[in-house]
Amino acid sequence: MKPIYITDLDHTFLRSDQTISAFSQKVWNTKSQESILSVATARSYTKSLEFLTGLHLEAPLILLDGALVVSCDKKLIDLKLVDENLGNALIDEGSRFDIEPFVIGLKDLDLNEAFLYPGRLNTHQSKVLLNYKNDNRLAMRATMRTMKQTLKIVYFGDEHTLRPLAAHFKNIFGDQVELKLSPEKYNGGYFLTVLHPHGDKAHALETIADHLGRELRDFTVFGDSINDLGMFDKAGTAVAVKNALDEVKANADIVLPHTNDEDAVAKYLASL
């Protein structure tokens, strides 16, 4: 049977300028003739396709940290939504810390996406929005509320704000949500992602294994950040790039000698 390789995008397969090198594209497409390759990313379907043009994809895509699993031809395989009332309660609790989130969700089951942002932005949020100029998915909300089909809620800010916020959410909401607190490598600061309790990459990897009729031990996964750890725990082989967080490296079976800017994943695939 074909081996299966699933890679994170940002700071793992993508270079820091958010491009894929010609070398990585060539290795990927060559390897896809004898393997199954796909991605597991925090990005949406629309944004992921911008990067994946020209790459042969066979396995379903893990998107939005695992809240969404879709086939390459946009067929919905799995969807894990944050309960609307729970999400609104969470936003209300977050306002006590003088911060409002971004809310990412679906307008419909044709995977038309919406990206809601608050009217009052902090410095970190303003920097994030610079990457979404002229994006028709954006919509400002004077009062932040969740949607019927909310996939994730994301806070951007300083560590000293978001770490106690994460602890507060954990205390109030417990296992009703999945929380991911990580450094934000593009713009500095931190981000806190709130998901359905099964809306992470680990559960999405299980979904793909079932969909393909394969065992989790058949998967090799690549990553660099906190949201990859659950996937690392499930897969047969977990591979961290050189620039991965120390916690991620500590949980990897293999730590590569190259960074994402040095085509780490492609060089590993080419070496097999």
PDB file of all heavy atoms in Angstrom, residues 66-94:
ATOM      1  N   GLY A  66      -8.376  21.396  11.919  1.00  0.00           N
ATOM      2  CA  GLY A  66      -9.049  20.108  12.052  1.00  0.00           C
ATOM      3  C   GLY A  66     -10.551  20.221  12.175  1.00  0.00           C
ATOM      4  O   GLY A  66     -11.250  19.203  12.206  1.00  0.00           O
ATOM      5  N   ALA A  67     -11.064  21.452  12.218  1.00  0.00           N
ATOM      6  CA  ALA A  67     -12.520  21.634  12.313  1.00  0.00           C
ATOM      7  C   ALA A  67     -13.221  21.232  11.028  1.00  0.00           C
ATOM      8  O   ALA A  67     -14.417  20.929  11.031  1.00  0.00           O
ATOM      9  CB  ALA A  67     -12.845  23.088  12.648  1.00  0.00           C
ATOM     10  N   LEU A  68     -12.479  21.206   9.925  1.00  0.00           N
ATOM     11  CA  LEU A  68     -13.061  20.923   8.616  1.00  0.00           C
ATOM     12  C   LEU A  68     -12.184  19.917   7.875  1.00  0.00           C
ATOM     13  O   LEU A  68     -10.966  20.078   7.799  1.00  0.00           O
ATOM     14  CB  LEU A  68     -13.150  22.229   7.817  1.00  0.00           C
ATOM     15  CG  LEU A  68     -13.799  22.213   6.441  1.00  0.00           C
ATOM     16  CD1 LEU A  68     -15.266  21.817   6.542  1.00  0.00           C
ATOM     17  CD2 LEU A  68     -13.671  23.585   5.788  1.00  0.00           C
ATOM     18  N   VAL A  69     -12.800  18.872   7.351  1.00  0.00           N
ATOM     19  CA  VAL A  69     -12.101  17.892   6.504  1.00  0.00           C
ATOM     20  C   VAL A  69     -12.866  17.817   5.197  1.00  0.00           C
ATOM     21  O   VAL A  69     -14.065  17.524   5.188  1.00  0.00           O
ATOM     22  CB  VAL A  69     -12.033  16.497   7.163  1.00  0.00           C
ATOM     23  CG1 VAL A  69     -11.311  15.517   6.252  1.00  0.00           C
ATOM     24  CG2 VAL A  69     -11.329  16.576   8.519  1.00  0.00           C
ATOM     25  N   VAL A  70     -12.171  18.096   4.095  1.00  0.00           N
ATOM     26  CA  VAL A  70     -12.830  18.090   2.787  1.00  0.00           C
ATOM     27  C   VAL A  70     -11.970  17.344   1.779  1.00  0.00           C
ATOM     28  O   VAL A  70     -10.751  17.251   1.921  1.00  0.00           O
ATOM     29  CB  VAL A  70     -13.099  19.521   2.263  1.00  0.00           C
ATOM     30  CG1 VAL A  70     -13.990  20.292   3.203  1.00  0.00           C
ATOM     31  CG2 VAL A  70     -11.798  20.270   2.031  1.00  0.00           C
ATOM     32  N   SER A  71     -12.611  16.829   0.748  1.00  0.00           N
ATOM     33  CA  SER A  71     -11.877  16.189  -0.336  1.00  0.00           C
ATOM     34  C   SER A  71     -11.257  17.265  -1.214  1.00  0.00           C
ATOM     35  O   SER A  71     -11.602  18.455  -1.119  1.00  0.00           O
ATOM     36  CB  SER A  71     -12.813  15.314  -1.160  1.00  0.00           C
ATOM     37  OG  SER A  71     -13.761  16.115  -1.837  1.00  0.00           O
ATOM     38  N   CYS A  72     -10.352  16.851  -2.073  1.00  0.00           N
ATOM     39  CA  CYS A  72      -9.672  17.807  -2.949  1.00  0.00           C
ATOM     40  C   CYS A  72     -10.639  18.512  -3.889  1.00  0.00           C
ATOM     41  O   CYS A  72     -10.373  19.634  -4.327  1.00  0.00           O
ATOM     42  CB  CYS A  72      -8.599  17.097  -3.767  1.00  0.00           C
ATOM     43  SG  CYS A  72      -7.446  16.173  -2.743  1.00  0.00           S
ATOM     44  N   ASP A  73     -11.767  17.868  -4.198  1.00  0.00           N
ATOM     45  CA  ASP A  73     -12.760  18.488  -5.078  1.00  0.00           C
ATOM     46  C   ASP A  73     -13.897  19.128  -4.281  1.00  0.00           C
ATOM     47  O   ASP A  73     -15.021  19.266  -4.765  1.00  0.00           O
ATOM     48  CB  ASP A  73     -13.310  17.485  -6.091  1.00  0.00           C
ATOM     49  CG  ASP A  73     -13.891  16.246  -5.422  1.00  0.00           C
ATOM     50  OD1 ASP A  73     -13.790  16.128  -4.182  1.00  0.00           O
ATOM     51  OD2 ASP A  73     -14.448  15.393  -6.131  1.00  0.00           O
ATOM     52  N   LYS A  74     -13.589  19.509  -3.037  1.00  0.00           N
ATOM     53  CA  LYS A  74     -14.466  20.336  -2.203  1.00  0.00           C
ATOM     54  C   LYS A  74     -15.697  19.607  -1.671  1.00  0.00           C
ATOM     55  O   LYS A  74     -16.708  20.229  -1.344  1.00  0.00           O
ATOM     56  CB  LYS A  74     -14.899  21.594  -2.972  1.00  0.00           C
ATOM     57  CG  LYS A  74     -15.220  22.809  -2.089  1.00  0.00           C
ATOM     58  CD  LYS A  74     -15.536  24.020  -2.935  1.00  0.00           C
ATOM     59  CE  LYS A  74     -15.869  25.220  -2.044  1.00  0.00           C
ATOM     60  NZ  LYS A  74     -16.184  26.428  -2.843  1.00  0.00           N
ATOM     61  N   LYS A  75     -15.633  18.294  -1.557  1.00  0.00           N
ATOM     62  CA  LYS A  75     -16.731  17.552  -0.956  1.00  0.00           C
ATOM     63  C   LYS A  75     -16.514  17.452   0.551  1.00  0.00           C
ATOM     64  O   LYS A  75     -15.442  17.055   1.002  1.00  0.00           O
ATOM     65  CB  LYS A  75     -16.843  16.162  -1.577  1.00  0.00           C
ATOM     66  CG  LYS A  75     -17.287  16.176  -3.035  1.00  0.00           C
ATOM     67  CD  LYS A  75     -17.350  14.777  -3.620  1.00  0.00           C
ATOM     68  CE  LYS A  75     -17.777  14.818  -5.092  1.00  0.00           C
ATOM     69  NZ  LYS A  75     -17.747  13.473  -5.714  1.00  0.00           N
ATOM     70  N   LEU A  76     -17.524  17.817   1.308  1.00  0.00           N
ATOM     71  CA  LEU A  76     -17.424  17.831   2.762  1.00  0.00           C
ATOM     72  C   LEU A  76     -17.366  16.414   3.311  1.00  0.00           C
ATOM     73  O   LEU A  76     -18.206  15.575   2.997  1.00  0.00           O
ATOM     74  CB  LEU A  76     -18.629  18.570   3.347  1.00  0.00           C
ATOM     75  CG  LEU A  76     -18.686  18.714   4.860  1.00  0.00           C
ATOM     76  CD1 LEU A  76     -17.523  19.545   5.368  1.00  0.00           C
ATOM     77  CD2 LEU A  76     -20.005  19.345   5.281  1.00  0.00           C
ATOM     78  N   ILE A  77     -16.347  16.153   4.137  1.00  0.00           N
ATOM     79  CA  ILE A  77     -16.193  14.845   4.768  1.00  0.00           C
ATOM     80  C   ILE A  77     -16.536  14.911   6.250  1.00  0.00           C
ATOM     81  O   ILE A  77     -17.209  14.043   6.787  1.00  0.00           O
ATOM     82  CB  ILE A  77     -14.754  14.321   4.567  1.00  0.00           C
ATOM     83  CG1 ILE A  77     -14.518  14.046   3.076  1.00  0.00           C
ATOM     84  CG2 ILE A  77     -14.503  13.056   5.396  1.00  0.00           C
ATOM     85  CD1 ILE A  77     -13.087  13.702   2.740  1.00  0.00           C
ATOM     86  N   ASP A  78     -16.082  15.982   6.921  1.00  0.00           N
ATOM     87  CA  ASP A  78     -16.388  16.118   8.349  1.00  0.00           C
ATOM     88  C   ASP A  78     -16.371  17.592   8.727  1.00  0.00           C
ATOM     89  O   ASP A  78     -15.633  18.402   8.151  1.00  0.00           O
ATOM     90  CB  ASP A  78     -15.369  15.350   9.188  1.00  0.00           C
ATOM     91  CG  ASP A  78     -15.847  15.165  10.628  1.00  0.00           C
ATOM     92  OD1 ASP A  78     -17.070  15.140  10.850  1.00  0.00           O
ATOM     93  OD2 ASP A  78     -14.990  15.046  11.521  1.00  0.00           O
ATOM     94  N   LEU A  79     -17.194  17.919   9.701  1.00  0.00           N
ATOM     95  CA  LEU A  79     -17.374  19.304  10.126  1.00  0.00           C
ATOM     96  C   LEU A  79     -17.585  19.310  11.630  1.00  0.00           C
ATOM     97  O   LEU A  79     -18.447  18.605  12.138  1.00  0.00           O
ATOM     98  CB  LEU A  79     -18.609  19.880   9.409  1.00  0.00           C
ATOM     99  CG  LEU A  79     -18.959  21.348   9.590  1.00  0.00           C
ATOM    100  CD1 LEU A  79     -17.878  22.224   8.986  1.00  0.00           C
ATOM    101  CD2 LEU A  79     -20.308  21.629   8.916  1.00  0.00           C
ATOM    102  N   LYS A  80     -16.787  20.076  12.339  1.00  0.00           N
ATOM    103  CA  LYS A  80     -16.913  20.179  13.790  1.00  0.00           C
ATOM    104  C   LYS A  80     -17.143  21.647  14.144  1.00  0.00           C
ATOM    105  O   LYS A  80     -16.234  22.472  14.058  1.00  0.00           O
ATOM    106  CB  LYS A  80     -15.650  19.650  14.479  1.00  0.00           C
ATOM    107  CG  LYS A  80     -15.437  18.149  14.324  1.00  0.00           C
ATOM    108  CD  LYS A  80     -16.480  17.359  15.095  1.00  0.00           C
ATOM    109  CE  LYS A  80     -16.195  15.860  15.149  1.00  0.00           C
ATOM    110  NZ  LYS A  80     -16.246  15.200  13.857  1.00  0.00           N
ATOM    111  N   LEU A  81     -18.373  21.971  14.534  1.00  0.00           N
ATOM    112  CA  LEU A  81     -18.761  23.356  14.770  1.00  0.00           C
ATOM    113  C   LEU A  81     -18.734  23.704  16.256  1.00  0.00           C
ATOM    114  O   LEU A  81     -19.072  22.873  17.108  1.00  0.00           O
ATOM    115  CB  LEU A  81     -20.174  23.594  14.236  1.00  0.00           C
ATOM    116  CG  LEU A  81     -20.388  23.347  12.744  1.00  0.00           C
ATOM    117  CD1 LEU A  81     -21.864  23.496  12.396  1.00  0.00           C
ATOM    118  CD2 LEU A  81     -19.540  24.292  11.914  1.00  0.00           C
ATOM    119  N   VAL A  82     -18.350  24.930  16.546  1.00  0.00           N
ATOM    120  CA  VAL A  82     -18.462  25.465  17.901  1.00  0.00           C
ATOM    121  C   VAL A  82     -19.927  25.838  18.119  1.00  0.00           C
ATOM    122  O   VAL A  82     -20.512  26.588  17.325  1.00  0.00           O
ATOM    123  CB  VAL A  82     -17.560  26.698  18.089  1.00  0.00           C
ATOM    124  CG1 VAL A  82     -17.750  27.286  19.487  1.00  0.00           C
ATOM    125  CG2 VAL A  82     -16.098  26.348  17.844  1.00  0.00           C
ATOM    126  N   ASP A  83     -20.526  25.309  19.164  1.00  0.00           N
ATOM    127  CA  ASP A  83     -21.921  25.614  19.472  1.00  0.00           C
ATOM    128  C   ASP A  83     -22.115  27.130  19.555  1.00  0.00           C
ATOM    129  O   ASP A  83     -21.324  27.846  20.172  1.00  0.00           O
ATOM    130  CB  ASP A  83     -22.305  24.967  20.806  1.00  0.00           C
ATOM    131  CG  ASP A  83     -23.711  25.305  21.223  1.00  0.00           C
ATOM    132  OD1 ASP A  83     -24.637  24.668  20.718  1.00  0.00           O
ATOM    133  OD2 ASP A  83     -23.855  26.225  22.058  1.00  0.00           O
ATOM    134  N   GLU A  84     -23.170  27.614  18.905  1.00  0.00           N
ATOM    135  CA  GLU A  84     -23.386  29.064  18.809  1.00  0.00           C
ATOM    136  C   GLU A  84     -23.545  29.718  20.180  1.00  0.00           C
ATOM    137  O   GLU A  84     -22.929  30.751  20.468  1.00  0.00           O
ATOM    138  CB  GLU A  84     -24.617  29.348  17.939  1.00  0.00           C
ATOM    139  CG  GLU A  84     -24.817  30.822  17.662  1.00  0.00           C
ATOM    140  CD  GLU A  84     -25.982  31.083  16.712  1.00  0.00           C
ATOM    141  OE1 GLU A  84     -26.743  30.130  16.427  1.00  0.00           O
ATOM    142  OE2 GLU A  84     -26.128  32.233  16.266  1.00  0.00           O
ATOM    143  N   ASN A  85     -24.360  29.158  21.032  1.00  0.00           N
ATOM    144  CA  ASN A  85     -24.564  29.752  22.360  1.00  0.00           C
ATOM    145  C   ASN A  85     -23.310  29.673  23.209  1.00  0.00           C
ATOM    146  O   ASN A  85     -22.970  30.621  23.932  1.00  0.00           O
ATOM    147  CB  ASN A  85     -25.727  29.052  23.068  1.00  0.00           C
ATOM    148  CG  ASN A  85     -27.065  29.334  22.419  1.00  0.00           C
ATOM    149  OD1 ASN A  85     -27.275  30.409  21.856  1.00  0.00           O
ATOM    150  ND2 ASN A  85     -27.975  28.380  22.481  1.00  0.00           N
ATOM    151  N   LEU A  86     -22.619  28.552  23.111  1.00  0.00           N
ATOM    152  CA  LEU A  86     -21.361  28.403  23.839  1.00  0.00           C
ATOM    153  C   LEU A  86     -20.340  29.418  23.349  1.00  0.00           C
ATOM    154  O   LEU A  86     -19.637  30.052  24.145  1.00  0.00           O
ATOM    155  CB  LEU A  86     -20.828  26.980  23.664  1.00  0.00           C
ATOM    156  CG  LEU A  86     -19.469  26.663  24.287  1.00  0.00           C
ATOM    157  CD1 LEU A  86     -19.536  26.795  25.807  1.00  0.00           C
ATOM    158  CD2 LEU A  86     -19.019  25.255  23.898  1.00  0.00           C
ATOM    159  N   GLY A  87     -20.257  29.597  22.028  1.00  0.00           N
ATOM    160  CA  GLY A  87     -19.322  30.562  21.462  1.00  0.00           C
ATOM    161  C   GLY A  87     -19.605  31.982  21.915  1.00  0.00           C
ATOM    162  O   GLY A  87     -18.690  32.747  22.231  1.00  0.00           O
ATOM    163  N   ASN A  88     -20.888  32.336  21.972  1.00  0.00           N
ATOM    164  CA  ASN A  88     -21.243  33.686  22.420  1.00  0.00           C
ATOM    165  C   ASN A  88     -20.926  33.884  23.899  1.00  0.00           C
ATOM    166  O   ASN A  88     -20.483  34.958  24.315  1.00  0.00           O
ATOM    167  CB  ASN A  88     -22.727  33.943  22.152  1.00  0.00           C
ATOM    168  CG  ASN A  88     -23.006  34.161  20.677  1.00  0.00           C
ATOM    169  OD1 ASN A  88     -22.138  34.611  19.927  1.00  0.00           O
ATOM    170  ND2 ASN A  88     -24.216  33.840  20.247  1.00  0.00           N
ATOM    171  N   ALA A  89     -21.132  32.844  24.695  1.00  0.00           N
ATOM    172  CA  ALA A  89     -20.774  32.919  26.115  1.00  0.00           C
ATOM    173  C   ALA A  89     -19.272  33.098  26.274  1.00  0.00           C
ATOM    174  O   ALA A  89     -18.804  33.866  27.131  1.00  0.00           O
ATOM    175  CB  ALA A  89     -21.246  31.663  26.840  1.00  0.00           C
ATOM    176  N   LEU A  90     -18.529  32.431  25.441  1.00  0.00           N
ATOM    177  CA  LEU A  90     -17.074  32.544  25.478  1.00  0.00           C
ATOM    178  C   LEU A  90     -16.634  33.961  25.100  1.00  0.00           C
ATOM    179  O   LEU A  90     -15.759  34.546  25.752  1.00  0.00           O
ATOM    180  CB  LEU A  90     -16.478  31.509  24.517  1.00  0.00           C
ATOM    181  CG  LEU A  90     -14.975  31.357  24.499  1.00  0.00           C
ATOM    182  CD1 LEU A  90     -14.613  29.882  24.362  1.00  0.00           C
ATOM    183  CD2 LEU A  90     -14.372  32.125  23.339  1.00  0.00           C
ATOM    184  N   ILE A  91     -17.237  34.528  24.054  1.00  0.00           N
ATOM    185  CA  ILE A  91     -16.914  35.904  23.663  1.00  0.00           C
ATOM    186  C   ILE A  91     -17.216  36.877  24.793  1.00  0.00           C
ATOM    187  O   ILE A  91     -16.443  37.801  25.077  1.00  0.00           O
ATOM    188  CB  ILE A  91     -17.679  36.287  22.379  1.00  0.00           C
ATOM    189  CG1 ILE A  91     -17.126  35.502  21.184  1.00  0.00           C
ATOM    190  CG2 ILE A  91     -17.580  37.781  22.108  1.00  0.00           C
ATOM    191  CD1 ILE A  91     -17.926  35.668  19.907  1.00  0.00           C
ATOM    192  N   ASP A  92     -18.342  36.667  25.476  1.00  0.00           N
ATOM    193  CA  ASP A  92     -18.706  37.545  26.604  1.00  0.00           C
ATOM    194  C   ASP A  92     -17.681  37.443  27.729  1.00  0.00           C
ATOM    195  O   ASP A  92     -17.302  38.454  28.334  1.00  0.00           O
ATOM    196  CB  ASP A  92     -20.091  37.179  27.120  1.00  0.00           C
ATOM    197  CG  ASP A  92     -21.201  37.526  26.127  1.00  0.00           C
ATOM    198  OD1 ASP A  92     -20.961  38.377  25.250  1.00  0.00           O
ATOM    199  OD2 ASP A  92     -22.291  36.930  26.229  1.00  0.00           O
ATOM    200  N   GLU A  93     -17.233  36.233  28.020  1.00  0.00           N
ATOM    201  CA  GLU A  93     -16.204  36.071  29.054  1.00  0.00           C
ATOM    202  C   GLU A  93     -14.891  36.735  28.625  1.00  0.00           C
ATOM    203  O   GLU A  93     -14.198  37.350  29.431  1.00  0.00           O
ATOM    204  CB  GLU A  93     -15.968  34.584  29.334  1.00  0.00           C
ATOM    205  CG  GLU A  93     -17.085  33.896  30.089  1.00  0.00           C
ATOM    206  CD  GLU A  93     -17.250  34.426  31.499  1.00  0.00           C
ATOM    207  OE1 GLU A  93     -16.244  34.840  32.118  1.00  0.00           O
ATOM    208  OE2 GLU A  93     -18.400  34.429  31.992  1.00  0.00           O
ATOM    209  N   GLY A  94     -14.552  36.608  27.332  1.00  0.00           N
ATOM    210  CA  GLY A  94     -13.326  37.223  26.836  1.00  0.00           C
ATOM    211  C   GLY A  94     -13.341  38.730  26.927  1.00  0.00           C
ATOM    212  O   GLY A  94     -12.287  39.364  27.106  1.00  0.00           O
TER     213      GLY A  94
END
